[in-house]
Amino acid sequence: MTHRIVLLPGDGIGPEVVDAALTVLRAAAARFDLLFAFDVYPVGAAALRAGLPPLPPETERAALASDAVFLGAVGSPEFDKSPRSERPETGLLQLRRSLGVYANLRPAKVWPGLGVRGPFVPDHVRGLDLLIVRELLGGLYFGEPRSFDWGEGTAVNTLRYSRDEVQRVARVAFGLARSRGRRLTSVDKANVLETSLLWRHVVDDVAAEFPDVEHDHMLVDACAMSLVLEPRRFDVLLTENLFGDILSDEAGALVGSLGLLPSASLGDGPALYEPVHGSAPALAGRDVANPVGAMASAAMLLRHTLGHHEAADAVEAAIGAQIESGGVTMDLAAPGVEPLGCQAFAAAVAEKVGSGLR
Ligand code: IPM
Ligand code: MN
């Protein structure tokens, strides 16, 4: 059976990290006898520069007909002032909506052996392993009406959620909590927002279907603080679109680099896999990007689309072994240690996948 994967390298470091993920996916295919067919399509600024819309119709058609979509990153400063319909990010949002991927899984864990850099001392975050489940198709990102009127000096976005939208993502999150630490924290702003009141009620209803999962509610401001102060108290965090966007970058800082975070976006059709980081224009074309987010997204593809847990575990184990060896990219290298380039790091991980090193 051939798994048809649509590749959307996109912008900035997107193409480099997609290449790296492919190197690792090919190694997994060789070791576990998997067949992939990869097709590359434009999205984002790469499409706009070719005179196409940010999500070209052929790209959308191919994505919908695929078994899974793998995306690098979208975004480019040259389109910062363009109208919304001609922005790279619009292509990604249309793709998410078109695929109907409402549940965005963003696991964040501290890899053993990684001397965490930045403000978080290793003792504070060691063993941290959390999963953010972000609602991906509702809230301020998609709510209507929306408008921007420079002349009048007003702009509008609409925060709207329906019971069904909350229910379906909550069920995914509770289901995943069941396979982990069985603790779920739902994040909202129920002291101010009606949408959050609805969110809270629906989450309580869904919780009744999962009596084996402990759950509580937290206001998003308190949660942002708590993530910094005592990150290991959390297991699964369930939240709406914008809060999830913000908290997942915070989680990236906690684990040492945003470049480490993978994601899977699930719905009823083909799933979408992408690293959480953006296009990072300043790093593009220099072979310095951290491909772990993309490679771990490939592991999620093996797990969630193929149901091949052994292959997914092998990729994650190889990433872990490589990180533990100390050979890491610029963002993670200890002071005085020569960092590996993006492609060299990928080759090292691929070799570990191939040799079954754990
Ligand atoms: C993310 C990104 C996107 C988002 C942008 C690029 C539209 O920040 O996936 O977190 O806000 O969802
Ligand atoms: Mn983001």
Side-chain angles (χ1 to χ4, degrees):
M1 179 184 172
T2 302
H3 305 285
R4 291 157 309 142
I5 313 296
V6 159
L7 300 175
L8 310 177
D11 309 322
I13 59 171
E16 300 164 54
V17 299
V18 168
D19 260 2
L22 270 186
T23 303
V24 169
L25 217 43
R26 290 205 170 98
R31 170 153 165 222
F32 295 98
D33 275 329
L34 306 170
L35 281 179
F36 289 109
F38 298 110
D39 284 306
V40 184
Y41 287 87
V43 73
L48 288 165
R49 268 187 231 110
L52 298 164
L55 178 66
E58 309 89 273
T59 301
E60 185 180 13
R61 259 197 304 277
L64 286 167
S66 73
D67 292 316
V69 181
F70 195 94
L71 182 133
V74 296
S76 169
E78 82 189 83
F79 297 102
D80 273 355
K81 296 215 167 90
S82 303
R84 205 164 50 82
S85 63
E86 288 156 38
R87 288 189 59 105
E89 291 82 359
T90 301
L92 175 57
L93 298 179
Q94 287 172 345
L95 177 68
R96 289 172 178 170
R97 185 161 58 183
S98 176
L99 291 170
V101 287
Y102 57 83
N104 180 216
L105 283 41
R106 298 188 157 188
K109 68 168 182 172
V110 169
W111 293 91
L114 183 69
V116 171
R117 293 216 327 196
F120 299 104
V121 294
D123 276 347
H124 185 62
V125 293
R126 185 170 296 125
L128 172 68
D129 181 0
L130 54 92
L131 172 67
I132 297 175
V133 179
R134 169 189 178 193
E135 199 290 326
L136 202 58
L137 298 182
L140 287 167
Y141 276 63
F142 293 96
E144 296 285 348
R146 59 191 297 160
S147 65
F148 177 86
D149 189 328
W150 180 249
E152 199 182 77
T154 58
V156 175
N157 287 103
T158 300
L159 178 47
R160 181 184 184 284
Y161 268 105
S162 70
R163 173 181 288 122
D164 289 355
E165 284 173 314
V166 182
Q167 206 168 50
R168 62 185 184 176
V169 72
R171 286 195 172 123
V172 171
F174 274 97
L176 289 163
R178 207 167 236 178
S179 64
R180 305 171 38 102
R182 291 170 190 265
R183 280 181 300 118
L184 182 147
T185 300
S186 175
V187 181
D188 62 39
K189 188 69 185 172
N191 54 345
V192 177
L193 302 175
E194 282 76 10
T195 44
S196 284
L197 265 186
L198 177 79
W199 184 278
R200 233 174 230 227
H201 284 306
V202 177
V203 168
D204 282 334
D205 278 355
V206 171
E209 301 167 19
F210 298 83
D212 51 329
V213 176
E214 217 182 282
H215 87 288
D216 62 357
H217 302 274
M218 210 171 193
L219 299 175
V220 63
D221 49 354
C223 178
M225 180 172 73
S226 213
L227 266 173
V228 170
L229 292 179
E230 36 176 357
R232 287 178 296 192
R233 67 183 276 186
F234 298 109
D235 178 25
V236 175
L237 285 173
L238 164 64
T239 192
E240 63 94 47
N241 206 343
L242 182 63
F243 297 162
D245 179 48
I246 297 167
L247 294 179
S248 56
D249 271 33
E250 189 181 351
L254 279 170
V255 301
S257 170
L258 187 55
L260 292 167
L261 296 196
S263 87
S265 303
L266 312 178
D268 301 320
L272 169 64
Y273 299 89
E274 47 172 322
V276 171
H277 64 70
S279 57
L283 305 183
R286 295 168 47 204
D287 193 35
V288 296
N290 184 344
V292 170
M295 294 196 284
S297 300
M300 294 184 89
L301 183 155
L302 293 166
R303 182 171 293 121
H304 294 284
T305 292
L306 272 64
H308 205 310
H309 298 266
E310 202 189 342
D313 290 348
V315 169
E316 283 168 359
I319 295 170
Q322 180 56 33
I323 287 175
E324 241 175 317
S325 80
V328 290
T329 45
M330 190 180 74
D331 54 331
L332 297 174
V337 174
E338 187 64 25
L340 288 184
C342 176
Q343 302 311 323
F345 183 90
V349 173
E351 201 210 299
K352 289 183 165 65
V353 171
S355 62
L357 196 113
R358 310 202 124 243

